[in-house]
Amino acid sequence: MSGPGPLPESTIKLLSQLAPATFADTAALAAAGILSAAYVLRSYTWDRPDPYNYILYEKPQQGAGSSTSKRSKNIAERLEELVSLAHGKDVVVFWGSQSGTAEGFANRLARELHQRFHLQAMSADLSDFDAETIAQIPQTKLAIFVLSTYGEGDPSDNAGMFWDWVTKLQDKPLISLRYAAFGLGNSNYRYYNRVVDVVDKALVDTGASRLAPVGRADDAQGATEEDFLSWKDDLYKVFRETLNLTEHEVKHEPSLAVVEDESLEPQDLHVGEPVHLVEGSGKSTANSAIKALKIKKAYDLFSSPGRSCLHLDLELDSNSQLTYKTGDHLAIWPINPDHEVERLLKVLGLSERRSIPISINALDAAIKVKIPTPTNVETLFRYYLEICAAVPRDTVRGLAQFAPSAAAKDFLLNLGREKDNYAVFLASNHLTIGKLLELAAKADNSQASKTWSDIPLSYLVETLPRSQPRYYSISSSSVVSPKAPSITVAVSDTPLSASPSAAIPGLTTNYLQSLSRSLQDSQATQQTEGLSYTLSGPSNALEGGLIYAHVRRSKFKLPMLASCPLIMVAAGTGLAPFRAFITERLRLQSIGKPVGQMMLFFGCQKPDDDYIYREELEQMEKDLGGKLNIITAFSRQTGMKKTYVQDKILEKGKEVSELLADGASLYMCGRASMAREVGRTLGDILRSDKGWDDAQVKEWSEGLKRNRKWQEDVWG
């Protein structure tokens, strides 16, 4: 084959005219070439979304020049830094919190120690400091630990690094540390308040001096708040009698400044988009970025007076970095109902000033502002504060100092004085902050103003809990539906014990029900049982059926080997993760993978009422060809004895025992009380079947848990 012939003379002349004659011409051609290439590759360069862009959006504090990033992670050094800033601290109140309750207690305690004893106190997120520097806190200071127990006796996400450190301590490195501790737990759980108990023992064993008895809250009794107040009283007695501190009348001293600033433009404001707290090196990475997710499909699994259940299919943006794995949780960020927002604005006299920009700034260098700022008052109440939460008794008393009349002040002081009287009142009244202020104002029968105009906004920001997401087990498989997670939501209203016809509406579940109904019926209003919500979200960011959500990684996972047998126990919406497990096993079997034998024990009230996913489960049982055995228990079936999942497990004791002997993994999901009863029943089966004593049963169950062969995803 011959090569190409010479170019025609006319072509050579044309090329010679186009050739660059100078260096400038050459540079211009090179620049043009680069720009052309960049344009062609634009989808890989400037048009390509930055997968980490959300970090700046959600954590602007980590931007260039941020002073917070320069704070020392050595708590002893930090205390000294604050001395040089004229904010020297006598007490540090560390908190480990999963839902925000322990954090709220720590913040309240730090403020009150200053107001009541004139101590300089700071509240500290355990993950903000290197745990080993706690050993450097001098004996002249005091450390207080407020710690929640989460899941199966685990520390909260932000206490993980501290837990790893304190449980491995040796010798006596804490000989100079003086401390007190309070734990939050639930006695329905097997490991009730395990975290504070383990931490307390570790501190004492390594030389620390405990100044007061350890306090323990029990949420199973609904007594978390009162348990905290009781422990706080005991702690203050130690301060008075052992530390010889003088107690003073409590008066509000703001730690935050909330200032109207009309110079701010709308684009400068946070309008309600949720944000994670800043994450330091000690923070958990269990939470994904928060995204606005579209609800693809929403329908009722059942609906009856006072009870209903929703199924929601969501859509993950194919371009986002958001992913989930089977067994994970989806965290939903709620919106407060319109009537409570309007009630609070009105009673505070802020209805006409709802949209004026406000800035929230710390007056103490030790305090981190937890609310996105700047914002406005309406946004604050609608999105960022828990205005529907029950009002603690000491907050009732604290509000009295701002009362618009003597009658309103007396009402609050009398209401908050006695624990038992307040409990009786709450048994008949759903008391939000707005309702409380309305009731107190009405105690004055005169024509005086009913507006609480003297309450500083700073007091409400300091006192009301920060809005928190609610977690739901994902009921879909990431293998089958990688970009379409689903959740199963029981719409919950809690009847008042002394007034069963009245109920406390679930904040997030009613929000989701309202959104679900608006999607199912284009003519539907945004109302649910008298509750209405701004479903379009901040600046209409949620228009068209979107919700703010993020994925939280879970340890509740299938075994690595699909051939491993499973025993799954669920009641109510605890079925959600097992729907995902079974769906995934069915898919694996369909592509030729061997799957292990499965038993599903499921309990609900009635087979024709709240047996969720019934047809789907029965079809999967058939398709799995004997690999799945579903055993149901109904507690309210007409004409039948009440039966619970533990009763059915006892009936099937021989099969359960054999499957466990074959290496089955055991899973439970539902209320903690259900899991506790199932655990007892399994112990009874093994005592009968194997002749074991209590010690052997305990050793067996703890061994399974250590090896992740016994897993629980429980609540309540």
Side-chain angles (χ1 to χ4, degrees), residues 256-259 358-362 369-375 380 458 461:
L256 300 172
V258 181
V259 181
I358 58 172
S359 293
I360 306 172
N361 301 299
V369 177
K370 300 299 179 66
I371 301 297
T373 182
T375 184
L380 192 66
S458 60
V461 174

Side-chain angles (χ1 to χ4, degrees), residues 75 92-96 106-107 110 122-129 158 366:
I75 182 59
V92 55
V93 186
F94 290 111
W95 55 266
N107 292 338
M122 65 178 286
S123 174
D125 182 339
L126 276 165
S127 65
D128 282 346
F129 298 95
N158 76 305

Side-chain angles (χ1 to χ4, degrees), residues 628-674:
L628 173 64
N629 183 15
I630 299 175
I631 303 100
T632 52
F634 304 113
S635 61
R636 301 289 189 277
Q637 192 170 7
T638 305
M640 302 292 288
K641 178 185 175 182
K642 288 184 178 181
T643 305
Y644 300 96
V645 285
Q646 59 266 29
D647 301 321
K648 290 295 184 178
I649 289 172
L650 190 59
E651 284 181 16
K652 298 284 185 179
K654 182 174 176 58
E655 295 172 52
V656 169
S657 181
E658 289 175 352
L659 209 56
L660 288 169
D662 287 342
S665 289
L666 173 66
Y667 297 88
M668 300 180 215
C669 188
R671 291 201 168 274
S673 55
M674 177 273 292

Side-chain angles (χ1 to χ4, degrees), residues 285-354:
T285 56
N287 295 314
S288 75
I290 302 168
K291 298 291 183 181
L293 303 183
K294 184 174 181 60
I295 297 177
K296 291 173 55 180
K297 184 191 296 184
Y299 57 87
D300 291 342
L301 291 167
F302 71 84
S303 182
S304 58
R307 299 178 68 231
S308 59
C309 188
L310 305 173
H311 175 92
L312 301 177
D313 288 328
L314 296 101
E315 182 176 8
L316 302 184
D317 184 350
S318 59
N319 294 320
S320 79
Q321 302 297 306
L322 203 62
T323 60
Y324 79 98
K325 297 295 183 184
T326 305
D328 283 346
H329 298 128
L330 194 69
I332 308 296
W333 292 80
I335 295 175
N336 287 317
D338 295 337
H339 72 280
E340 285 297 336
V341 175
E342 295 302 323
R343 187 201 308 272
L344 190 53
L345 287 169
K346 181 179 178 181
V347 77
L348 294 172
L350 294 172
S351 295
E352 303 303 318
R353 307 188 69 79
R354 65 177 67 210

Side-chain angles (χ1 to χ4, degrees), residues 18 114 156 231 253 271 284 415 464 496 595 611 711:
L18 293 174
H114 173 65
S156 59
W231 170 79
E253 294 183 34
V271 293
S284 165
L415 181 62
L464 295 178
L496 296 171
V595 299
Y611 187 170
Q711 297 186 47

Side-chain angles (χ1 to χ4, degrees), residues 311-314 316 323-328 473-488 556-558 575-591 613 616 620:
H311 175 92
L312 301 177
D313 288 328
L314 296 101
L316 302 184
T323 60
Y324 79 98
K325 297 295 183 184
T326 305
D328 283 346
S473 297
I474 294 177
S475 54
S476 57
S477 162
S478 59
V479 170
V480 178
S481 306
K483 287 294 181 180
S486 62
I487 57 173
T488 308
F556 199 72
K557 300 296 184 185
L558 279 165
L575 180 61
F578 302 139
R579 175 181 182 260
F581 285 10
I582 297 167
T583 302
E584 186 159 314
R585 284 275 173 106
L586 179 59
R587 172 61 62 87
L588 293 174
Q589 179 176 276
S590 71
I591 61 174
Y613 302 117
E616 182 180 326
M620 287 195 289

Side-chain angles (χ1 to χ4, degrees), residues 165-207:
W165 170 75
V166 78
T167 55
K168 296 174 183 175
L169 284 174
Q170 296 179 351
D171 301 323
K172 301 287 183 180
L174 303 181
I175 197 71
S176 297
L177 183 68
R178 299 184 304 160
Y179 79 96
F182 181 77
L184 291 82
N186 185 314
S187 60
N188 282 331
Y189 287 70
R190 183 180 181 89
Y191 294 107
Y192 167 60
N193 264 313
R194 174 175 179 256
V195 171
V196 76
D197 289 341
V198 170
V199 168
D200 174 60
K201 184 177 186 303
L203 295 178
V204 170
D205 288 349
T206 52

Side-chain angles (χ1 to χ4, degrees), residues 384-614:
Y384 291 139
L385 294 177
E386 294 267 10
I387 65 171
C388 296
V391 184
R393 186 163 57 90
D394 62 346
T395 299
V396 174
R397 298 195 300 260
L399 286 165
Q401 62 189 300
F402 309 113
S405 67
K409 181 176 182 178
D410 289 343
F411 174 85
L412 292 176
L413 291 176
N414 289 330
L415 181 62
R417 181 171 290 116
E418 296 292 337
K419 168 185 173 181
D420 293 340
N421 289 343
Y422 190 55
V424 169
F425 184 83
L426 291 182
S428 302
N429 297 273
H430 173 212
L431 197 64
T432 64
I433 182 70
K435 287 181 181 178
L436 174 65
L437 298 179
E438 279 185 345
L439 283 172
K442 290 177 182 177
D444 185 353
N445 294 320
S446 70
Q447 298 301 311
S449 172
K450 309 296 185 186
T451 301
W452 290 70
S453 55
D454 289 340
I455 297 182
L457 267 178
S458 60
Y459 180 84
L460 295 177
V461 174
E462 292 167 353
T463 304
L464 295 178
R466 183 169 43 85
S467 185
Q468 298 282 348
R470 273 57 169 181
Y471 295 92
Y472 298 90
S473 297
I474 294 177
S475 54
S476 57
S477 162
S478 59
V479 170
V480 178
S481 306
K483 287 294 181 180
S486 62
I487 57 173
T488 308
V489 180
V491 181
S492 59
D493 292 339
T494 305
L496 296 171
S497 58
S499 182
S501 60
I504 301 173
L507 178 64
T508 308
T509 57
N510 278 278
Y511 161 56
L512 291 174
Q513 185 177 60
S514 180
L515 182 56
S516 172
R517 289 182 177 176
S518 74
L519 294 173
Q520 293 178 55
D521 182 358
S522 60
Q523 303 302 315
T525 67
Q526 297 182 3
Q527 294 192 356
T528 300
E529 302 296 333
L531 301 178
S532 64
Y533 300 84
T534 304
L535 298 180
S536 58
S539 297
N540 296 323
L542 303 180
E543 191 76 57
L546 279 74
I547 55 174
Y548 281 122
H550 70 267
V551 174
R552 184 181 187 279
R553 287 210 305 270
S554 167
K555 297 178 182 178
F556 199 72
K557 300 296 184 185
L558 279 165
M560 292 292 290
L561 295 176
S563 57
C564 178
L566 305 180
I567 298 173
M568 300 166 284
V569 187
T573 55
L575 180 61
F578 302 139
R579 175 181 182 260
F581 285 10
I582 297 167
T583 302
E584 186 159 314
R585 284 275 173 106
L586 179 59
R587 172 61 62 87
L588 293 174
Q589 179 176 276
S590 71
I591 61 174
K593 298 286 186 182
V595 299
Q597 189 67 37
M598 294 174 282
M599 297 182 76
L600 170 64
F601 293 90
F602 173 64
C604 62
Q605 292 190 4
K606 300 176 182 178
D608 298 324
D609 185 3
D610 55 349
Y611 187 170
I612 57 177
Y613 302 117
R614 179 176 182 173

